[in-house]
Amino acid sequence: MEKRAFLKLLSAAMAGPVLGPLLAWASPEKLKNWAGNFEYSTENLYSAKSPEQVRDFIKQQKQLKVLGTRHCFNRIADSRQQFISLKEMDRVVALDTAARTVTVEGGLTYGRLSPYLDGQGWALHNLASLPHISIAGAITTATHGSGDKNGNLSTAVAALEIVNAAGDTVNLSRQKDGESFLGAVVGLGALGAITKVTLDVQPSFQMRQYVYEDLPLSQLKDHFDAIESAAYSVSLFTDWQKQHINEVWLKCRLDQAPAFDAPAEFYGAKKAARNVHPIIELSAENCTEQMGVPGPWYERLPHFKMGFTPSAGKELQSEYFVPRRHAVEAILAVQRLGEQVGPPLMITEIRTIAADNFWMSPCYKQDSVTIHFTWKQDWPAVSKLLPIIEKELAPFHPRPHWGKLFAFSPAQLRVSYEKLPEFVALTRKFDPQGKFHNEFLDTNIFGPDA
Ligand SMILES: Cc1cc2nc3c(=O)[nH]c(=O)nc-3n(C[C@H](O)[C@H](O)[C@H](O)COP(=O)(O)OP(=O)(O)OC[C@H]3O[C@@H](n4cnc5c(N)ncnc54)[C@H](O)[C@@H]3O)c2cc1C
């Protein structure tokens, strides 16, 4: 379908509050991931209501996976045998203002936690583009937002409670467990069920969001660092079709100096005169408030509002992390593929993320830039393009997002993670028989040479 007609259809389908994914969850339809691009391999889903139920159920099963809010685009969460959901375990357990942490149950979403925290005068350091996702699912896949100084969402984790394959509860903390903690946080769902997460919090803050349109690529080339550091969190959106970046989203904290003075022009881009969607043809109704209107952190850090469809809905996603020092070269490499990438693409987002120390994090010990692709749901076209993009990015040693679609061979993937052998050894302590393995993990992590 021609791009404009496709986007018009999509726009009509997504106007207003989100219903589709919620109904899909409750309906007798096949169990699918959020985007609906695949059906899970079993319908067996047990919903636990308490840590005891999690422990008892895990003890009884030979093979199972924990299902979060189903927002991954690949089969990392899939199971052929059995799912356990912690959706009903969504309480805030404790807000410890002296330690500056909040402990939550494993089924809570950022969308539910954030307004609670803000109401108590506290905030998280960052959020992804959408608040709808489970905290446990996000941290175990190294989900991220943007910002030069902001680590991905797992960097806020201070402690974890995990039910291992034997049905025993294991507690790990940043303070006490050193290396095992660093191995377990981005655990790819392979260590067991995360029943509690303790996150760092900070005093609540207000933000303003500004959007600029048509940033010349030449300006990006010459001023990438200055553009990225102009605000607390910066996102660049492009469709690679012109010699400019379509939109620059700047999310500024009101409590940080120097204040962004929101000039009419920003490195040659013009300040938007209305709220916009990252896909310019779509209605901005689903997007967080822009135009410099001040608001709480949790209503500015994500691009999409809770209660509304995030992104486009019927879509696919891929994303590659490359070392920050190669940012401009990597962006220009993809720009050269513009003609090929254009037809199935809805939009690309470029973000920066600070380095961390988690063994399986794509940002392990490296400041990173991410190049993300929101695709139409056209897998034949996308699957042909992914190897082409990966080849173009190869000189920069890209790592794919754990929850999105990629074409990397298991061997390529495994050499990207120097701590992989230690990670495999750690998972064996939690799960000696591979109860939490699935095809995705067996292929990409626990391959024959692991
Ligand atoms: C519209 C949209 C926008 C997105 N935006 C971003 C973005 O801005 N940044 C980004 O980095 N990613 C983004 N993502 C990707 C997504 O947020 C992540 O892939 C994340 O993992 C989703 O969490 P989930 O709970 O839905 O995971 P699921 O798909 O349900 O599960 C993912 C993994 O987490 C494991 N898991 C879930 N819960 C638990 C638990 N309690 N204990 C143990 N393991 C568990 C599962 O077993 C599986 O391995 C986006 C996705 C969508 C659909």
Side-chain angles (χ1 to χ4, degrees):
M1 190 185 302
E2 196 244 321
K3 187 169 178 181
R4 191 170 291 276
F6 174 82
L7 291 170
K8 230 173 135 184
L9 247 180
L10 193 66
S11 190
M14 63 178 287
V18 53
L19 280 176
L22 296 178
L23 286 178
W25 178 269
S27 78
E29 273 178 28
K30 292 272 187 195
L31 186 60
K32 289 181 179 167
N33 67 332
W34 173 86
N37 61 301
F38 70 84
E39 285 170 7
Y40 293 107
S41 307
T42 180
E43 302 272 298
N44 298 331
L45 177 70
Y46 169 74
S47 190
K49 294 182 179 54
S50 67
E52 298 72 43
Q53 288 187 350
V54 175
R55 289 196 291 271
D56 290 346
F57 191 75
I58 288 177
K59 257 184 224 162
Q60 293 157 19
Q61 302 305 309
K62 278 214 169 74
Q63 199 89 36
L64 81 166
K65 291 301 293 174
V66 187
L67 199 54
T69 38
R70 302 173 294 118
H71 280 75
C72 286
F73 292 84
N74 61 29
R75 290 189 176 270
I76 189 169
D78 199 13
S79 173
R80 289 193 178 281
Q81 291 81 16
Q82 180 67 51
F83 288 115
I84 183 170
S85 166
L86 275 56
K87 201 167 160 245
E88 296 182 64
M89 293 171 57
D90 62 350
R91 284 179 319 123
V92 175
V93 179
L95 175 63
D96 183 339
T97 55
R100 293 194 165 200
T101 59
V102 65
T103 300
V104 302
E105 289 187 319
L108 191 67
T109 61
Y110 287 101
R112 293 272 316 278
L113 172 62
S114 302
Y116 163 80
L117 272 183
D118 191 59
Q120 304 293 316
W122 298 92
L124 298 171
H125 81 293
N126 209 358
L127 290 169
S129 68
L130 76 175
H132 310 61
I133 51 177
S134 80
I135 296 165
I139 60 169
T140 205
T141 55
T143 291
H144 62 93
S146 190
D148 275 0
K149 296 195 178 130
N150 299 327
N152 65 43
L153 302 188
S154 36
T155 59
V157 177
L160 284 178
E161 179 187 279
I162 303 177
V163 176
N164 67 16
D168 298 328
T169 301
V170 182
N171 287 289
L172 291 172
S173 77
R174 187 196 286 145
Q175 271 181 344
K176 292 200 208 95
D177 296 289
E179 286 292 300
S180 322
F181 177 77
L182 297 178
V185 175
V186 179
L188 311 180
L191 278 78
I194 301 166
T195 41
K196 280 188 200 135
V197 184
T198 301
L199 298 171
D200 295 334
V201 295
Q202 55 181 273
S204 184
F205 53 91
Q206 293 270 305
M207 300 188 83
R208 294 179 195 272
Q209 179 164 241
Y210 297 95
V211 176
Y212 285 82
E213 295 180 283
D214 300 334
L215 174 83
L217 209 54
S218 55
Q219 293 280 346
L220 187 74
K221 266 193 256 177
D222 295 343
H223 304 287
F224 184 79
D225 287 338
I227 290 168
E228 290 297 334
S229 62
Y232 184 70
S233 164
V234 176
S235 287
L236 310 174
F237 291 97
T238 180
D239 58 8
W240 308 106
Q241 297 311 297
K242 303 204 181 95
Q243 289 299 311
H244 66 229
I245 296 288
N246 304 21
E247 296 173 20
V248 181
W249 288 41
L250 298 161
K251 297 170 192 272
C252 315
R253 285 177 70 141
L254 266 58
D255 60 352
Q256 283 185 346
F260 181 70
D261 62 358
E265 267 202 32
F266 177 74
Y267 294 96
K270 306 268 180 310
K271 189 152 75 174
R274 69 216 180 286
N275 280 357
V276 292
H277 191 284
I279 304 169
I280 196 72
E281 292 88 345
L282 298 186
S283 154
E285 188 192 358
N286 303 7
C287 297
T288 48
E289 195 62 39
Q290 303 156 28
M291 307 280 295
V293 178
W297 56 278
Y298 70 95
E299 290 181 352
R300 297 294 179 275
L301 285 170
H303 307 326
F304 304 106
K305 288 183 208 153
M306 191 68 185
F308 286 76
T309 301
S311 191
K314 198 168 160 41
E315 65 193 57
L316 302 175
Q317 293 188 9
S318 310
E319 187 167 35
Y320 299 98
F321 295 67
V322 297
R324 165 68 187 251
R325 64 184 182 283
H326 298 312
V328 171
E329 287 167 283
I331 292 166
L332 295 178
V334 181
Q335 177 78 21
R336 285 194 291 274
L337 298 175
E339 223 172 283
Q340 279 168 283
V341 166
L345 184 75
M346 289 203 248
I347 201 70
T348 274
E349 180 175 9
I350 297 166
R351 290 177 274 189
T352 58
I353 305 144
D356 61 55
N357 292 316
F358 299 125
W359 298 351
M360 297 309 287
S361 164
C363 303
Y364 178 70
K365 294 205 189 298
Q366 78 188 11
D367 290 333
S368 302
V369 60
T370 53
I371 306 179
H372 159 97
F373 302 84
T374 300
W375 306 106
K376 292 182 207 166
Q377 226 168 63
D378 180 356
W379 180 235
V382 172
S383 61
K384 280 195 200 97
L385 268 174
L386 294 183
I388 297 171
I389 295 170
E390 289 174 13
K391 190 165 167 224
E392 206 61 28
L393 290 177
F396 316 116
H397 308 291
R399 293 171 179 161
H401 191 300
W402 287 116
K404 303 187 183 178
L405 297 162
F406 56 84
F408 272 70
S409 71
Q412 276 175 306
L413 197 58
R414 290 201 288 269
V415 295
S416 308
Y417 287 91
E418 63 182 80
K419 285 287 199 179
L420 185 85
E422 286 91 336
F423 179 69
V424 170
L426 180 70
T427 63
R428 290 209 173 109
K429 286 191 194 155
F430 280 74
D431 181 15
Q433 313 297 329
K435 200 180 255 195
F436 291 101
H437 288 197
N438 60 8
E439 276 179 34
F440 180 96
L441 293 175
D442 282 336
T443 306
N444 293 304
I445 304 294
F446 303 109
D449 46 342

